[in-house]
Each structure stands twice: as structure tokens, then as C-alpha cells.
Amino acid sequence: EAGVTQSPTHLIKTRGQQATLRCSPISGHTSVYWYQQALGLGLQFLLWYDEGEERNRGNFPPRFSGRQFPNYSSELNVNALELEDSALYLCASSGGLLRDTQYFGPGTRLTVL
Amino acid sequence: KQEVTQIPAALSVPEGENLVLNCSFTDSAIYNLQWFRQDPGKGLTSLLLIQSSQREQTSGRLNASLDKSSGRSTLYIAASQPGDSATYLCAVSESNYQLIWGAGTKLIIKP
């Protein structure tokens, strides 16, 4: 069974640009979670999507947004990039009988220059 | 506001030793607590999940305990091996499935 996949692995952008990160959950999982892991700040919850709807949002500005598609894959968009957006962005999925357990992808390393 | 703290921030021990990693949280109204492992440059691997009604969970050489009333969890690693070297993260889940994370303990097992 394939795990959670994320693309791209690395992304380099300049300040002011937009970044789009993608996540494919484990087959059968309907929930997707996004987390930011910035250096020195630890992991912080960004967004939770379930069945195509945004269910919860962390303490991030509106320029962080996303969506979940009918096939449960998800996209995270970061507009007007700032230097401090440089981080590892992790996606996780959950669902089925083990609803409580989140399975993580390898992450996308975003660097803003 | 829930806060999760992990002590120590870093730990280096010789191979073969038993060790304990600590996690504390400020609000006992949690849904569950999870321990994860993160290898450098990689994603997270879930190690153990303890529901709020449980006291402990075991998987191989790993044992995690939960004391909700005192806001504490420990991860016990028996007979440590160099392959156990990684950063260990503790996270608590509240009813909205949001995970709140500790800063992690960086563990180095010396051969």
C-alpha cells in the first residue's frame, strides 16, 4: 500500500511569489492535514481537510490556503511569500478504522530567497 | 491554550542502555497522545498512540505511558541501538484532531 506522497520534494521561490504544494493521501483516507516545521519553531498545525471541506485552521495568516479535491488529494497554496515561510511542510492523512492515527508524507522543503 | 514540552532537548547515550524521554502537556483534556520519530530530512513515523482512556502502549522495545491527571507521558526505549538515533516528537490531539507538538528530543545512540 502506497504511503502519503508529497510533491515537489524541494521548492525554491523568491519573496512575493506564490508556492503550491501537493499531497496525495493513503488510499481510503478522507482527511488531510498540513503542518509547518520551521527551523527553531517546531511543528505547527496549518490546516485540516476532510471530505472536501476545511474543518480546522491553525494560527496562520489568510495567505496560507488550500483545498481538497474529490479524490481526497490536497493542495496548499502560500501567497505573497515571505522569508520566514521557509520551512518543511508536512502533509498527513488519516481515515478508515485507524481514524486517530495520522500518517505523514516525506514533506516539501520550501526555501524563500 | 495547550502547550507541550519535551525534556531533554537532546540526549546522547551508549548503545545498549535503557532510556526515558519525557513529554508534558498543560491541558489534560486531550483526545490522545502520540509519539513520533523523525529522521533527518525525512517525514514522521508514528511510533505509539495512547488514547486518553489508556495508561500505556507497547511496541517491541518501546513503551509509552500516559498520566493525564499530571499531564505527563514517557517514552521508554529498552536496549537502545544506533538505529534508534533520531528526533522523537510528542504530540497531543484535541477533539478537533489538531495535533499540538513538542519541540522534540534529539537522541544519539553511540556505538
Side-chain angles (χ1 to χ4, degrees):
Chain A
E1 179 185 290
V4 177
T5 59
Q6 292 186 245
S7 64
T9 304
H10 294 91
L11 190 57
I12 299 175
K13 295 284 186 179
T14 56
R15 271 192 310 175
Q17 285 189 315
Q18 179 198 37
T20 298
L21 289 64
R22 295 179 178 83
C23 172
S24 291
I26 290 172
S27 177
H29 285 187
T30 61
S31 279
V32 169
Y33 310 82
W34 287 96
Y35 296 90
Q36 183 196 64
Q37 189 175 32
L39 195 63
L41 289 179
L43 270 152
Q44 296 185 70
F45 167 74
L46 259 168
L47 290 159
W48 169 33
Y49 292 96
D50 183 57
E51 298 282 0
E53 300 285 333
E54 183 181 301
R55 302 296 184 182
N56 196 16
R57 181 182 182 85
N59 188 25
F60 281 84
R63 58 191 186 82
F64 286 83
S65 64
R67 54 181 171 167
Q68 187 177 33
F69 299 100
N71 66 354
Y72 302 115
S73 67
S74 177
E75 199 172 84
L76 174 68
N77 294 293
V78 188
N79 294 319
L81 284 166
E82 300 179 1
L83 296 178
E84 52 265 33
D85 296 334
S86 295
L88 180 67
Y89 289 83
L90 291 165
C91 169
S93 74
S94 71
L97 293 175
L98 295 176
R99 187 81 170 88
D100 296 339
T101 302
Q102 296 183 20
Y103 296 86
F104 282 78
T108 293
R109 174 74 62 185
L110 173 64
T111 301
V112 182
L113 303 175
Chain B
K1 178 187 171 186
Q2 180 75 266
E3 292 182 2
V4 180
T5 304
Q6 289 187 247
I7 295 173
L11 183 63
S12 179
V13 300
E15 179 179 4
E17 282 199 6
N18 303 324
L19 55 99
V20 174
L21 307 182
N22 296 291
C23 172
S24 62
F25 47 95
T26 55
D27 187 344
S28 62
I30 63 170
Y31 193 61
N32 60 49
L33 183 144
Q34 299 182 64
W35 284 93
F36 292 86
R37 167 185 174 141
Q38 185 173 30
D39 294 280
K42 296 187 179 180
L44 302 171
T45 302
S46 179
L47 297 173
L48 290 163
L49 182 150
I50 312 175
Q51 299 288 0
S52 62
S53 58
Q54 297 175 322
R55 298 285 292 184
E56 67 176 343
Q57 283 286 341
T58 298
S59 176
R61 294 181 294 108
L62 304 179
N63 175 277
S65 67
L66 174 64
D67 184 342
K68 247 183 44 168
S69 59
S70 67
R72 293 181 183 176
S73 176
T74 60
L75 178 66
Y76 175 82
I77 302 177
S80 59
Q81 303 170 358
D84 295 330
S85 298
T87 296
Y88 290 80
L89 293 156
C90 164
V92 299
S93 172
E94 299 178 328
S95 59
N96 58 10
Y97 294 104
Q98 175 180 339
L99 287 176
I100 301 167
W101 300 83
T105 294
K106 184 175 182 180
L107 177 63
I108 297 174
I109 306 298
K110 298 175 287 187

